[in-house]
Amino acid sequence: MTVAEHRRPDDEIGDDRWDHLAEEHGPSYEKHAWKRGRKGPRKRSAGKVESQGPPAQVLTVGARRCTVLWREEKVPCRLPSSLSVNQQAEVAVGDRVLVEKDRGTCWVREVQPRDTVLSRPDPRNPRLQRIIAANMDTVVIVVAARRPGIRPGLIDRYLLAVEHGGARPVICLNKIDLVPPEERSADPELALAQPYRDLGLEVVLCSAKEERGLDALRAALHDQLCVFVGHSGVGKSSLINALHPKLDLDTSPVRERDGTGQHTTTRSNLFELDEGIRVIDTPGVREFGLWNLEPAQVRQSFEEFLPHAAACRFTDCTHTHEPQCGVREAVAAGEIPEQRYEAYRRILDSLEE
Ligand code: GDP
Ligand code: ZN
């Protein structure tokens, strides 16, 4: 699939919308972009773009440079200072950019508005968002049935982050081979995944080791740009490799040119598997942590609580200790799964730590 084909109608959004948002919200707009439904920085231009052609897609980002997929070739590009000054917010793997060639050097001139993002706060300045990946359709949250087992609190926090960024979450429950088939229906660990199914989320059972469930995973990810996240050791790399047994990250199928026009091979962080599945795989994505949420953001994120929260006595009810709490009543009445409420409490507690 070419980059052009990957564009969605959404991409046609004009600059005016971004300029308008930026005007309205000023520089702080970017910090809170996820709240407004559209993600990432407003369109930035580092000068007049003369020969833009089709947008390219960022494959890797380094200091003041990046590699893009442009007209089906990997092309190294320089980043102008306007984009590299706050690079971790300005350019991310998956970004669609306009590229210009100037005397043999390719420059990124403009980052197009993002459809989705995966972001986390800068460790040194939590008010700044670092964009880890952009424009993915789906984030696969990988957990393991055993070794280390499912931690619902972690799934819940990933879900919040993914949903804030606008991508579709899919839960992949890997290492299913470690639970004997006859025990699966009554397995307490596997039962932890049921509330997510009840919420309408896709939960795919897999074994990367025994190559089971991979067709279902392929079907869920068909024609999507994906990111795999999850605790280390749950099997993310094993799954990516199992989805594409011939995948060799060092011999990417995309032709690559260095500055002199010679073809070279280097590792790509955005690569294509079978079935049109494209994967962003960078250390940043793998180490993806979770940012600090405000309690009010957590409340909003548990969408199924909202209708019940209307019955709370206090409009700013935290659903923890207040009298006449519609949410706790709904939990007691079995209308909200206890596990979801516990997840909510765990996330709130983790914010206080
Ligand atoms: P990552 O850190 O999430 O990328 O995890 P890896 O893919 O490196 O896998 C971590 C360990 O789990 C390795 O020893 C794998 O062989 C093992 N593993 C991965 N998938 C499976 C699976 O489906 N079943 C079993 N039994 N082990 C697996
Ligand atoms: Zn309440």
Side-chain angles (χ1 to χ4, degrees):
M1 183 173 51
T2 66
V3 171
E5 279 162 355
H6 189 69
R7 295 182 74 203
R8 306 199 297 208
D10 255 354
D11 297 354
E12 309 304 334
I13 262 186
D15 318 0
D16 20 355
R17 180 158 164 195
W18 290 94
D19 292 342
H20 164 74
L21 285 171
E23 246 168 55
E24 189 183 328
H25 304 290
S28 68
Y29 169 67
E30 272 144 71
K31 293 177 210 157
H32 306 291
W34 61 265
K35 284 187 188 165
R36 320 222 171 250
R38 297 291 295 185
K39 322 301 173 225
R42 68 199 149 97
K43 202 161 166 178
R44 290 269 165 119
S45 183
K48 191 162 163 35
V49 182
E50 281 149 25
S51 58
Q52 52 192 54
Q57 191 155 33
V58 175
L59 300 175
T60 62
V61 185
R64 289 191 289 281
R65 61 186 67 239
C66 66
T67 313
V68 303
L69 182 62
W70 195 31
R71 299 186 165 122
E72 305 202 33
E73 286 197 355
K74 278 199 213 171
V75 182
C77 286
R78 305 276 302 275
L79 294 169
S81 55
S82 60
L83 292 175
S84 56
V85 112
N86 183 14
Q87 192 170 310
Q88 285 171 324
E90 300 293 355
V91 185
V93 180
D95 264 334
R96 284 180 293 257
V97 296
L98 297 183
V99 170
E100 182 188 24
K101 202 163 192 173
D102 181 15
R103 274 162 286 156
T105 304
C106 288
W107 290 86
V108 170
R109 287 307 186 198
E110 196 170 283
V111 178
Q112 301 203 317
R114 296 170 179 136
D115 291 333
T116 63
V117 292
L118 199 57
S119 67
R120 68 170 161 215
D122 187 298
R124 272 159 300 178
N125 181 359
R127 302 186 132 264
L128 274 183
Q129 290 292 303
R130 275 190 188 183
I131 309 296
I132 295 161
N135 296 321
M136 61 278 160
D137 304 290
T138 301
V139 176
V140 185
I141 302 170
V142 183
V143 294
R146 297 280 191 275
R147 298 181 209 155
I150 298 174
R151 284 168 53 205
L154 197 65
I155 301 181
D156 295 319
R157 297 194 63 180
Y158 276 124
L159 280 175
L160 293 196
V162 173
E163 283 167 2
H164 281 159
R168 172 182 76 124
V170 167
I171 297 174
C172 174
L173 212 174
N174 190 34
K175 306 199 189 183
I176 191 74
D177 57 282
L178 297 176
V179 186
E182 64 279 10
E183 290 174 20
R184 284 180 198 165
S185 59
D187 187 71
E189 194 81 29
L190 298 188
L192 295 172
Q194 189 55 40
Y196 303 104
R197 289 194 191 89
D198 296 343
L199 283 170
L201 292 167
E202 195 159 355
V203 180
V204 183
L205 268 57
C206 284
S207 165
K209 188 180 173 192
E210 295 189 348
E211 301 191 0
R212 288 178 198 281
L214 297 179
D215 287 340
L217 191 59
R218 272 189 202 103
L221 306 183
H222 177 71
D223 261 355
Q224 310 262 302
L225 179 58
C226 314
V227 164
F228 284 66
V229 300
H231 208 268
S232 112
V234 292
K236 296 180 292 297
S237 356
S238 306
L239 281 166
I240 293 171
N241 284 321
L243 282 174
H244 191 96
K246 292 188 289 296
L247 179 72
D248 176 353
L249 295 180
D250 290 318
T251 56
S252 157
V254 198
R255 284 178 297 149
E256 178 166 6
R257 283 193 181 169
D258 63 19
T260 63
Q262 301 228 299
H263 290 276
T264 59
T265 46
T266 51
R267 205 179 164 95
S268 169
N269 294 136
L270 188 164
F271 50 88
E272 203 150 333
L273 310 180
D274 293 336
E275 312 275 334
I277 303 172
R278 300 159 76 234
V279 176
I280 292 176
D281 185 51
T282 70
V285 167
R286 281 151 169 274
E287 293 154 16
F288 167 66
L290 298 149
W291 73 79
N292 300 321
L293 296 156
E294 297 295 327
Q297 293 167 4
V298 178
R299 286 204 291 279
Q300 289 300 315
S301 304
F302 281 74
E303 281 174 23
E304 77 269 38
F305 291 10
L306 297 180
H308 303 286
C312 295
R313 177 163 157 199
F314 303 107
T315 50
D316 60 349
C317 182
T318 64
H319 322 311
T320 54
H321 59 276
E322 295 87 347
Q324 292 178 29
C325 170
V327 169
R328 280 189 296 145
E329 281 163 19
V331 176
E335 289 160 18
I336 291 176
E338 216 151 282
Q339 189 193 320
R340 281 290 283 176
Y341 180 70
E342 282 164 16
Y344 169 75
R345 293 295 300 261
R346 268 196 303 268
I347 292 175
L348 278 193
D349 290 347
S350 72
L351 299 186
E352 282 165 16
E353 279 161 15

